[in-house]
Amino acid sequence: MRRSAVLVLVLLTCPVSAEAQTTWNPVMAGNVYAAAFAFMAPRTLTAIPMAKLTLWGLRGLTALDPAVGPTMSADGIALIDRNQVALSAPLPLAEDAARWGAVAAQLCSRATQVSPAIAEAGTTGVVTSFFDELFNHFDPYSRYIPPGTRADNEQPASVGFTLVVRRHGTMIATIDPNGPAAAAGLAVADQILAIDGQSTRGETADDLGMALDGAAGTVMTLEVLSHHRRAQTISVIRTAIVPETVFAARQGPMLVIQISAFQQTTAAHFRQTVMDELGKPPAPRGLVVDLRGNRGGLLDQAVSVADSLIDRGTIASTMGRNPAADQLWRASNGDLAGGLPLVVLVDGRTASAAEVLAAALADNNRGVVVGSATLGKGLVQSATSLPDGGDLLVTWARLLAPLGWPLQGLGVMPQICTSGSTDSVETALQSLADGQQPMGDAIRQSRSARPGIALNKVLEIRDACPAALGSSLDMQAAQFLLTTPPAYSAALVGTP
């Protein structure tokens, strides 16, 4: 299986002072605009002229002051202040990112001179407004992250335990067996006498929780009275939290594994869980992978889970205008579950990497998808850091299911739809038991779709099973399938 990470380019920049961000810095703004244009030009899904990017961005000035905005003609680009031309400039060469950035900064500079509201916004405010307006013309996932803004994937740091305040002292209530506290020898019911030299006596649970917080890599010193009544001083290093995302349970003849998100350890935990559970008697008659409410996460983890369940075949691919955006993932590790009948539960909140997994299992006839149409997030972003310390995320590729249909907008169409009434679900299950697949036409239409499909056609296809929240009908349908082999087979038969 070939894997290639989504491209992340980092531009080396000098630190930017807070003062430079709150006052107008034309040089910095020009460098930011130029770097962004140079990065975006070869990567956007469709080619967008820098002239258009510049015009879109400059319209962000109007959000700060409705009387100020740009206009462009074949002769040049101008800043309009209260219906008067405040400054004009000739159009640079079409592909000159540096010059387009400089012109955009020049017009922004003039805007700060004629408008107190724009001047008050400072470099960060003007640049943020520039990109906010520019990305209004893009998809929902392309964006600018201003300097100092916490990244979405940044994990909080933890010492790996929680505290509870009792009448006789502060005790460890729960502990992560894989966390730093457990590694240091702490255990549930140990009494915490002091944190970093400060007594815990009289402190509230909220105050103690704040005392446990800190940056990853920092050391916290604890005075501990263990449950063996031995006093000692222990140092614990805070580490980034990697939340558990894989949860297993037996429900009758089924092994149900819920995947709540795709984090760094999800695939490894999934494989270990499957091996552990299949080794326990009695052997399950089927496997249910519950992806309802899973908003996605790390694509490579979803691919790895799919690779552990599919013998051979394509798992997913990406396609973009830039050749570097094209990737292909194929199964190579074999089916860990040994062909055990498989049902995948999805709903309208199932998105992104979770949709990749569901689509891979469905297109390879490895499992039956039950639920409703999923969210339909199938775009991949490329990222870079900008000279002001901000970050730029630009969509540069579409995610494609193994049979070539796009996930974006379309989502995954289930083979058994549960977003209707209870009666309609029971009727569908009976049809499957009789060897008929009532969702066959809708699934074939969905899987024959290709990138560029018209929005009205997407809506028409999705109308066959509208997105909905998961319900008890999903698990009931799964149990019926896994205990009724003819229905399970019919759910797979008749689909590409």
Side-chain angles (χ1 to χ4, degrees):
M1 179 177 62
R2 183 172 72 86
R3 299 179 185 174
S4 176
V6 174
L7 178 65
V8 177
L9 299 181
V10 178
L11 303 179
L12 297 179
T13 62
C14 297
V16 182
S17 68
E19 181 181 359
Q21 298 298 320
T22 55
T23 59
W24 174 245
N25 185 333
V27 175
M28 177 58 69
N31 289 339
V32 170
Y33 298 151
F37 293 158
F39 182 78
M40 296 169 69
R43 291 176 175 82
T44 53
L45 283 176
T46 58
I48 303 175
M50 289 187 199
K52 186 169 288 187
L53 294 174
T54 303
L55 183 63
W56 287 345
L58 288 171
R59 287 174 180 164
L61 295 171
T62 305
L64 299 173
D65 185 338
V68 178
T71 184
M72 184 179 291
S73 67
D75 298 324
I77 184 168
L79 181 76
I80 305 299
D81 172 34
R82 292 162 183 79
N83 300 318
Q84 299 293 320
V85 175
L87 181 68
S88 61
L91 299 180
L93 295 176
E95 299 180 357
D96 190 343
R99 186 58 193 152
W100 278 108
V103 167
Q106 183 181 6
L107 268 63
C108 288
S109 291
R110 182 58 179 153
T112 64
Q113 295 169 0
V114 300
S115 168
I118 294 175
E120 185 179 355
T123 307
T124 297
V126 172
V127 168
T128 299
S129 188
F130 183 96
F131 285 118
D132 284 349
E133 180 58 33
L134 188 157
F135 285 127
N136 279 341
H137 299 268
F138 281 61
D139 60 274
Y141 312 111
S142 296
R143 64 192 187 278
Y144 165 75
I145 303 173
T149 304
R150 177 175 170 174
D152 291 343
N153 62 351
E154 182 182 335
Q155 297 289 351
S158 170
V159 290
F161 66 81
T162 62
L163 295 174
V164 61
V165 177
R166 302 294 189 197
R167 189 167 54 182
H168 53 279
T170 299
M171 321 292 290
I172 293 181
T174 63
I175 193 163
D176 181 350
N178 299 312
L186 295 172
V188 171
D190 284 351
Q191 185 174 349
I192 306 300
L193 304 176
I195 300 174
D196 290 332
Q198 299 296 313
S199 174
T200 59
R201 184 182 298 275
E203 298 291 343
T204 66
D206 288 342
D207 288 340
L208 292 170
M210 293 176 62
L212 298 181
D213 291 340
T218 57
V219 178
M220 182 177 65
T221 302
L222 302 169
E223 292 180 29
V224 182
L225 183 63
S226 74
H227 57 289
H228 299 301
R229 310 308 296 174
R230 184 180 63 191
Q232 56 185 319
T233 300
I234 295 177
S235 294
V236 180
I237 300 175
R238 296 179 177 91
T239 59
I241 299 172
V242 180
E244 183 57 74
T245 57
V246 179
F247 308 90
R250 293 290 184 104
Q251 293 192 23
M254 304 182 298
L255 168 58
V256 180
I257 301 181
Q258 179 193 18
I259 304 177
S260 60
F262 292 95
Q263 302 287 356
Q264 295 94 326
T265 59
T266 299
H269 286 186
F270 177 84
R271 288 191 294 270
Q272 189 62 52
T273 299
V274 170
M275 289 189 293
D276 290 346
E277 293 294 330
L278 293 185
K280 299 176 183 177
R285 295 180 61 177
L287 173 63
V288 177
V289 177
D290 188 352
L291 300 177
R292 293 175 297 178
N294 186 321
R295 309 294 289 186
L298 300 177
L299 176 59
D300 68 324
Q301 294 294 300
V303 168
S304 185
V305 170
D307 192 24
S308 67
L309 294 171
I310 298 172
D311 263 328
R312 62 181 61 87
T314 298
I315 294 173
S317 63
T318 59
M319 180 181 69
R321 184 168 60 92
N322 190 312
D326 296 345
Q327 302 174 52
L328 175 67
W329 293 271
R330 296 186 62 83
S332 61
N333 289 334
D335 182 1
L336 189 65
L340 192 69
L342 171 64
V343 171
V344 186
L345 304 185
V346 300
D347 66 5
R349 300 166 299 166
T350 303
S352 191
E355 293 176 287
V356 169
L357 174 57
L361 296 172
D363 275 10
N364 284 283
N365 280 350
R366 179 59 186 91
V368 177
V369 178
V370 172
S372 75
T374 59
L375 182 66
K377 182 188 183 302
L379 298 176
V380 180
Q381 288 72 49
S382 181
T384 187
S385 293
L386 295 175
D388 64 344
D391 295 303
L392 198 70
L393 279 72
V394 177
T395 293
W396 79 325
R398 294 182 177 89
L399 276 166
L400 303 180
L403 293 176
W405 48 275
L407 289 170
Q408 178 62 23
L410 199 59
V412 179
M413 179 60 59
Q415 288 141 298
I416 298 178
C417 179
T418 61
S419 62
S421 66
T422 301
D423 288 345
S424 66
V425 174
E426 291 177 351
T427 299
L429 292 176
Q430 187 57 54
S431 295
L432 290 168
D434 295 336
Q436 303 297 318
Q437 170 50 292
M439 288 292 293
D441 288 343
I443 295 167
R444 280 188 286 274
Q445 287 187 54
S446 176
R447 296 184 183 179
S448 64
R450 291 298 178 264
I453 180 174
L455 177 59
N456 64 329
K457 184 62 177 177
V458 168
L459 297 176
E460 178 185 326
I461 293 173
R462 287 176 62 87
D463 193 52
C465 186
L469 296 179
S471 72
S472 60
L473 290 174
D474 305 328
M475 201 65 74
Q476 292 172 25
Q479 184 164 358
F480 181 86
L481 288 173
L482 295 177
T483 56
T484 314
Y488 181 84
S489 297
L492 294 174
V493 172
T495 57

